[in-house]
């Protein structure tokens, strides 16, 4: 068993333009923003982003790094529609595969299990099929002969997630109310990178919470980054809540100005 610790910039140095990147969290909750900021400091572009989208998507889209987005939504939670994503989408700056939340989850689950697709009922009779003409249906081979949507596997070149605690081996722990499918992102990826509020000894992980809170297992993790405040301005309960003032500033400020003020000027 090896020490997998690295810096955010070392994580990004292992990525390449044109990759498909999965980003964990949900909306404006427990997003790996320290890793997203490292992406913005890099020259990576032409990315396909797979995400329950929040400011991760908004920032990367505003910086011109996203070629295609696969997502069920892009929101800041307390601000329903992510404004920088909206501007990029209205400008036709990226391709969008918009699917139902459950379809998205089953796409990750298919990739995690190395299956080409999984059948679901979600999407049938809805405009999901119209706006995604590439989706196919399958018929049950059993007596019921029921028709399902065949959700394609959302296979990832790399996944980026943020958790409350991790050890140096890659075991990751969430302490908040929701896992946000971060384990599926890691399992669906060829390489997975976990940032965390604090790296602790393995034995410490179960002193704060039960074993069930060990969401991400070391065999799925390539690298671990200690990044206190690494989800800011999104929430990372119970360590901290969403910084609503910082989020409002982000949402109401033109991208170039915000990037110059808060991200060292790197915008694309």
């Amino acid at each position: 068993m090896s020490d997998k610790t690295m810096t955010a910039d070392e994580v990004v140095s292992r990525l390449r333009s044109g990759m498909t990147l999965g980003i964990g969290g949900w909306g404006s909750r427990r997003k790996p923003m320290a890793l997203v900021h490292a992406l913005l400091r890099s020259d990576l572009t032409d990315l396909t982003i797979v995400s329950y989208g929040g400011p991760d998507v908004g920032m990367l889209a505003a910086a011109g790094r996203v070629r295609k987005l696969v997502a069920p939504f892009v929101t800041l939670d307390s601000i329903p529609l992510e404004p920088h994503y909206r501007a990029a989408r209205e400008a036709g700056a990226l391709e969008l595969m918009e699917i139902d939340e459950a379809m998205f989850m089953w796409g990750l689950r298919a990739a995690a299990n190395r299956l080409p697709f999984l059948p679901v009922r979600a999407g049938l009779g809805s405009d999901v099929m119209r706006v995604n003409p590439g989706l196919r249906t399958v018929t049950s081979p059993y007596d019921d002969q029921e028709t399902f949507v065949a959700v394609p596997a959302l296979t990832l070149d790399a996944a980026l997630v943020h958790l409350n605690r991790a050890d140096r081996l890659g075991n990751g722990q969430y302490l908040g109310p929701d896992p946000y499918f971060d384990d599926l992102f890691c399992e669906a990826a060829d390489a997975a990178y976990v940032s965390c509020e604090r790296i602790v000894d393995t034995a410490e992980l179960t002193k704060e919470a039960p074993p069930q809170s060990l969401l991400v297992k070391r065999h799925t993790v390539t690298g671990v980054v200690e990044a206190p405040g690494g989800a800011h301005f999104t929430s990372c309960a119970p360590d901290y809540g969403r910084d609503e003032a910082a989020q409002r500033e982000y949402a109401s400020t033109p991208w170039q100005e915000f990037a110059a003020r808060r991200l060292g000027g790197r915008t694309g």
Side-chain angles (χ1 to χ4, degrees), residues 114-147:
R114 303 305 185 257
L115 296 170
F117 71 92
L118 279 173
V120 299
R121 293 187 177 92
L124 290 172
S126 78
D127 276 351
V128 168
M129 305 300 290
R130 180 183 61 80
V131 300
N132 294 288
L135 287 176
R136 299 290 183 262
T137 58
V138 293
T139 302
S140 168
Y142 299 104
D143 290 343
D144 58 275
Q145 292 287 291
E146 187 173 353
T147 297

Side-chain angles (χ1 to χ4, degrees), residues 27 35 41 79 81 161 164 169 193 211 246:
L35 299 179
R41 292 193 296 270
I79 300 172
L81 181 59
V161 305
N164 299 90
L169 306 177
Y193 301 95

